[in-house]
Amino acid sequence: MPPPTTPTRCALILSFVDRRLMMFAPLDWSPRMKMNARSVGAILAVALFSGSGLSACGTAASPAPEVAAPPLDQSRPPSEVVEVVESHAREGFEHTGGVLKRTGIVVADAGGQRLEPGEFGRARSIEALFAEGEHSFRLALNYSAAESEGDPERICDVGVADGAYVSCEAEKVEGLTKFVKVMALLPPEEVYIREPLVIARPDRLKEHDGLVWYRRSVQFVDPENSRIVSASEVFPANSVDAAMKEMRMSITELTNMASDPDLAMDVTE
């Protein structure tokens, strides 16, 4: 059998890179971050395996398209924006029962890099993380033009079909799109992945014997302002039904947090 042509090799390599990204990309990577990772991964793979150099695959070598992200409203100091997210998270999660502990405030730029307090003016995402016993809670505010677009029903259908979501519901609420999602998570198998939990695909779940971390989230997407607010809870259990019974935050409570008008902070072009 003759060896595959360069276009065929390129297609196979890109397909491999895409599958690996689907399996192991951290949950909160934006489409832009995935596109950048795809380009870098494909370039390295082509250079390594095809022996044809970086120009062997035009698709792989071409830079990922830029996705414009609106800055945080500068009329409000960035540090104040972070404080608002943290205070609303604490207020929303503090009634869950035991002793609520703050486990982190994560502020990142458009590329997912964590920012120091003096750099908060470049923030594209803010996450307030809390925990109580085995329950983990998160309130997140981020700005992403790419993630705020797309047909909501198709997003749910595709996510459930490929195993990214255990369940997903979408509806329109006063010009916004509301998602209620459930995900199954497990610790990553690869040591180079720094995320503590990643999406567990159905094939891995079938082979897994033990606890699975289930995340239930309510997400409000404002496409006009490229703004996404989400509130979520994670709990480990032997089944999704068992996890849902143990959740401290109801869907109504998560909805109230994610739809809080105080978090609908204006953005400027």
Side-chain angles (χ1 to χ4, degrees):
M1 180 179 296
T5 63
T6 295
T8 301
R9 288 198 303 269
C10 291
L12 292 172
I13 291 170
L14 289 173
S15 176
F16 171 80
V17 172
D18 284 339
R19 288 198 303 271
R20 302 302 289 181
L21 279 176
M22 177 65 72
M23 292 174 64
F24 302 118
L27 291 175
D28 297 325
W29 273 18
S30 68
R32 179 186 178 186
M33 294 168 65
K34 291 178 182 178
M35 285 189 292
N36 288 336
R38 181 181 188 266
S39 292
V40 173
I43 288 172
L44 293 175
V46 169
L48 236 105
F49 299 120
S50 75
S52 303
L54 299 184
S55 61
C57 294
T59 302
S62 60
E66 289 294 321
V67 179
L72 289 175
D73 180 12
Q74 295 304 312
S75 65
R76 198 165 193 175
S79 58
E80 184 178 328
V81 176
V82 175
E83 290 175 2
V84 169
V85 175
E86 179 183 0
S87 64
H88 279 66
R90 184 180 297 277
E91 181 180 348
F93 296 135
E94 67 180 358
H95 71 281
T96 53
V99 179
L100 186 69
K101 297 181 180 180
R102 194 191 80 170
T103 56
I105 300 294
V106 180
V107 183
D109 63 14
Q113 296 296 316
R114 293 195 178 191
L115 302 175
E116 298 299 324
E119 304 172 313
F120 284 176
R122 296 190 290 111
R124 294 281 74 77
S125 67
I126 303 168
E127 298 181 359
L129 309 174
F130 289 83
E132 186 276 298
E134 294 184 294
H135 298 260
S136 300
F137 309 96
R138 180 180 70 167
L139 179 64
L141 167 65
N142 64 73
Y143 295 88
S144 172
E147 287 186 87
S148 61
E149 298 174 351
D151 178 68
E153 292 186 2
R154 175 168 173 75
I155 291 173
C156 279
D157 291 343
V158 172
V160 172
D162 69 15
Y165 309 142
V166 175
S167 65
C168 180
E169 299 176 2
E171 64 174 313
K172 291 290 186 179
V173 180
E174 297 180 356
L176 308 179
T177 301
K178 174 187 175 183
F179 289 98
V180 178
K181 303 174 183 177
V182 174
M183 297 180 179
L185 315 174
L186 285 174
E189 296 177 300
E190 285 72 16
V191 295
Y192 58 83
I193 296 180
R194 293 182 295 176
E195 295 293 321
L197 295 171
V198 296
I199 294 175
R201 303 289 171 176
D203 55 347
R204 187 181 175 195
L205 288 173
K206 289 180 181 179
E207 300 174 354
H208 179 73
D209 183 19
L211 294 176
V212 176
W213 283 258
Y214 290 95
R215 171 183 287 171
R216 181 166 68 183
S217 66
V218 173
Q219 184 181 69
F220 277 85
V221 178
D222 181 353
E224 182 175 348
N225 294 294
S226 301
R227 180 174 56 236
I228 304 171
V229 183
S230 61
S232 62
E233 177 180 0
V234 175
F235 184 78
N238 290 311
S239 69
V240 63
D241 291 337
M244 295 305 103
K245 291 179 181 178
E246 295 294 331
M247 290 288 181
R248 299 283 178 83
M249 297 291 293
S250 67
I251 292 178
T252 298
E253 290 169 326
L254 293 175
T255 297
N256 291 338
M257 291 186 67
S259 62
D260 191 325
D262 287 348
L263 297 174
M265 302 177 194
D266 294 334
V267 295
T268 56
E269 295 297 333

